[in-house]
Amino acid sequence: RYVFFLDPCNIDLVHQKIKSIALCVSACPRKELKTLADIQKFAETNGSTLCSYELQPSEYTTDPRAAKLCPKYPVPESAPIPFFHRCAPVNISCYAKFAEALITFVSDSSVLHRLISGVMTSKEIIMGLCLLSLVLSMILMVIIRYISRVLVWILTILVILGSLGGTGILWWLYAKQRISAGALETQIAKDNLQALLIYAIAATVFTVIMFLIVLIMRKRVALTIALFHVAGKVFIHLPLLVFQPFWTFFVLILFWTYWITVLLFLGTTGKHPVPNEEGFVEFRMTGPLKYMWWYHVVGLIWISEFILACQQMTVAGAVVTYYFTREKKNLPFTPILASVNRLVCYHLGTVAKGSFIITLVKVPRMILMYIHTQLKGKENACARCMLKACICCLWCLEKCLTYLNQNAYTATAINSTNFCTSAKDAFVILVENALRVAAINTVGDFMLFLGKVCVL
């Protein structure tokens, strides 16, 4: 029932496996076995031979081969891992060796070492800044409702001033460092000077581009202000919308955990013993079951897209309920739960079809990416160019279909039509109002980007 390793602490990080003979046992040693006599007694009592199958339990204390074919004693106390059916040592010394080996492996890369050291040193500051960003984001969503017209211009001015100030500071630091570096010609000083120059040039380019974008789009800001004003009202009346992504993330985590568990079971299903060249027996999967993981991967993509589509449909249904309710006091107690109820009762097929269309595009793209990775360095320039072009085209198609699906879900929430009808209506509306949609998306995304920059 369980797998017992003669040397469970002999971990090979490179090949990601335990370099030890594995034996099938009916029970794991629940207490420490200090001598070969204890190992022999355990085998006779529990019917679990902890030595190689070449030895009989009666030969453990007499056969000279026991030193090589039996586990090193004392055998540590172990317990079976749920679902995996492996005997894992209870003593933390084995895990300490694994952690030591992992740290040694990571320390070989100076970049990773500096990165981890910097994060560990500044973890309190990082956590505090993340919390501050979350609070500022919440405040920003609230004040959009009341000062949306002023806020857009305030954000624009703040970002431009911040960019100008940051650029000026970087150039000032570069000039100061250049003066001081003349007296101290070291490699570290030269590296710092070059890094400051690169940062200053990048900040200058960023500031100029942002100023030009604001100058070009200043006439289209009014449409975005009206959109933000309505969005602010929605968040005030439907505050639970803020927590919708957290629920979706939680459901995705549960599904991914289930998917990994099923994948592990598939990895040990339908295997047959086959002797290898070294004289040991390996269990290899034969028959149609060895292709089952392809079906499992498609299920991962489809269900993940289905969960994300359910979130989009839920948000669309809640916002539509608010927008088309003339008297806001007649709103349901929880419009989000009402939207979830409509989704489950009437629109699961729409969501399933939309997510399946995305899957039909994403799976070929992943296959092409896998082929490109496997043939890396082996294919000629023409084949490499064609593969990358196909991958790029599929990526663009996927993004277009994803955007069309989001609008189709909104049409479904408004008109309660099926997916095909909603997709057709959404496509017609997008084509007829292409310029307006482009302006709203461009300016709106840019303003949201400015808000994120301001928060950061």
Side-chain angles (χ1 to χ4, degrees):
R1 184 179 180 182
Y2 305 108
V3 176
F4 175 79
F5 296 96
L6 267 63
D7 190 6
C9 296
N10 189 6
I11 301 172
D12 185 359
L13 288 177
V14 177
H15 298 92
Q16 301 177 356
K17 66 179 181 179
I18 299 176
K19 296 174 64 176
S20 171
I21 296 177
L23 304 174
C24 295
V25 296
S26 58
C28 299
R30 292 305 186 97
K31 64 179 182 178
E32 188 180 54
L33 306 177
K34 299 181 179 180
T35 62
L36 285 174
D38 293 339
I39 298 174
Q40 183 181 33
K41 183 178 179 181
F42 179 82
E44 294 173 349
T45 305
N46 298 280
S48 297
T49 57
L50 302 184
C51 298
S52 181
Y53 302 136
E54 301 175 23
L55 291 179
Q56 297 297 324
S58 59
E59 301 174 344
Y60 286 180
T61 56
T62 58
D63 198 309
R65 297 178 299 169
K68 295 182 178 180
L69 299 179
C70 289
K72 296 179 181 179
Y73 52 88
V75 179
E77 177 187 357
S78 61
I81 303 177
F83 301 109
F84 299 99
H85 300 283
R86 261 63 175 171
C87 296
V90 177
N91 193 344
I92 63 172
S93 61
C94 180
Y95 307 106
K97 292 180 181 179
F98 174 75
E100 181 181 355
L102 182 61
I103 293 172
T104 303
F105 173 75
V106 173
S107 300
D108 291 339
S109 175
S110 58
V111 177
L112 285 177
H113 183 68
R114 290 198 300 268
L115 177 63
I116 294 174
S117 300
V119 171
M120 294 304 296
T121 304
S122 310
K123 57 181 182 295
E124 293 85 3
I125 299 176
I126 293 174
M127 293 177 63
L129 290 176
C130 290
L131 182 61
L132 178 62
S133 298
L134 179 62
V135 173
L136 290 177
S137 301
M138 296 293 183
I139 295 174
L140 185 63
M141 287 190 297
V142 172
I143 62 178
I144 281 177
R145 164 68 177 85
Y146 300 102
I147 56 172
S148 57
R149 183 181 298 276
V150 181
L151 180 64
V152 171
W153 292 111
I154 289 176
L155 285 177
T156 305
I157 294 172
L158 284 178
V159 172
I160 292 177
L161 292 179
S163 301
L164 291 172
T167 304
I169 291 174
L170 285 173
W171 281 112
W172 176 75
L173 289 174
Y174 170 73
K176 184 179 179 181
Q177 186 72 19
R178 186 174 182 179
I179 294 173
S180 61
L184 187 62
E185 290 291 339
T186 61
Q187 186 62 37
I188 296 178
K190 292 180 180 178
D191 292 342
N192 291 338
L193 186 64
Q194 185 179 5
L196 280 174
L197 179 60
I198 294 173
Y199 294 152
I201 294 174
T204 303
V205 173
F206 175 79
T207 303
V208 171
I209 293 175
M210 183 172 296
F211 182 77
L212 292 176
I213 292 176
V214 171
L215 191 63
I216 294 171
M217 294 184 174
R218 68 187 187 281
K219 295 182 180 179
R220 302 180 185 271
V221 173
L223 193 60
T224 306
I225 290 174
L227 179 65
F228 280 175
H229 186 70
V230 175
K233 288 183 177 180
V234 172
F235 273 108
I236 293 298
H237 288 86
L238 307 177
L240 292 180
L241 278 179
V242 179
F243 302 99
Q244 186 63 30
F246 294 99
W247 292 111
T248 304
F249 178 74
F250 178 71
V251 174
L252 283 173
I253 290 296
L254 289 179
F255 169 68
W256 290 339
T257 303
Y258 164 77
W259 186 86
I260 292 173
T261 304
V262 175
L263 181 66
L264 293 174
F265 281 120
L266 281 176
T268 56
T269 301
K271 291 193 173 184
H272 301 280
V274 178
N276 60 13
E277 298 176 355
E278 300 176 357
F280 293 100
V281 174
E282 293 182 355
F283 287 85
R284 298 178 182 174
M285 187 179 297
T286 59
L289 279 176
K290 62 183 179 181
Y291 303 107
M292 195 68 178
W293 71 277
W294 281 101
Y295 168 79
H296 199 49
V297 169
V298 173
L300 170 67
I301 300 172
W302 190 0
I303 301 300
S304 298
E305 293 293 334
F306 177 81
I307 295 172
L308 294 175
C310 286
Q311 172 187 276
Q312 295 167 3
M313 179 66 80
T314 301
V315 173
V319 174
V320 165
T321 300
Y322 164 81
Y323 189 81
F324 287 99
T325 300
R326 188 176 297 274
E327 296 293 336
K328 305 305 178 186
K329 61 182 180 181
N330 296 330
L331 282 171
F333 178 70
T334 52
I336 293 180
L337 293 181
S339 178
V340 171
N341 182 57
R342 288 195 300 271
L343 167 66
V344 174
C345 293
Y346 306 109
H347 302 310
L348 283 180
T350 299
V351 174
K353 186 178 291 185
S355 56
F356 180 69
I357 291 175
I358 300 298
T359 306
L360 289 179
V361 180
K362 184 170 288 189
V363 170
R365 183 170 67 86
M366 294 181 65
I367 294 174
L368 290 178
M369 291 175 63
Y370 175 77
I371 294 174
H372 180 263
T373 304
Q374 294 298 314
L375 297 179
K376 195 171 185 179
K378 299 178 182 179
E379 77 279 15
N380 55 35
C382 181
R384 183 169 59 251
C385 181
M386 291 180 62
L387 271 176
K388 289 184 177 180
C390 292
I391 293 172
C392 182
C393 291
L394 288 174
W395 181 84
C396 294
L397 178 60
E398 179 186 337
K399 293 301 178 182
C400 293
L401 289 176
T402 301
Y403 183 73
L404 180 61
N405 279 0
Q406 294 174 358
N407 289 275
Y409 299 147
T410 304
T412 298
I414 296 173
N415 303 318
S416 295
T417 52
N418 58 43
F419 177 79
C420 295
T421 304
S422 300
K424 183 192 69 174
D425 295 340
F427 182 76
V428 171
I429 293 174
L430 291 175
V431 171
E432 292 178 349
N433 301 272
L435 295 178
R436 183 175 297 178
V437 171
I440 291 176
N441 288 337
T442 304
V443 180
D445 291 343
F446 180 67
M447 291 302 162
L448 291 176
F449 169 74
L450 293 185
K452 294 175 184 177
V453 172
C454 186
V455 170
L456 293 176

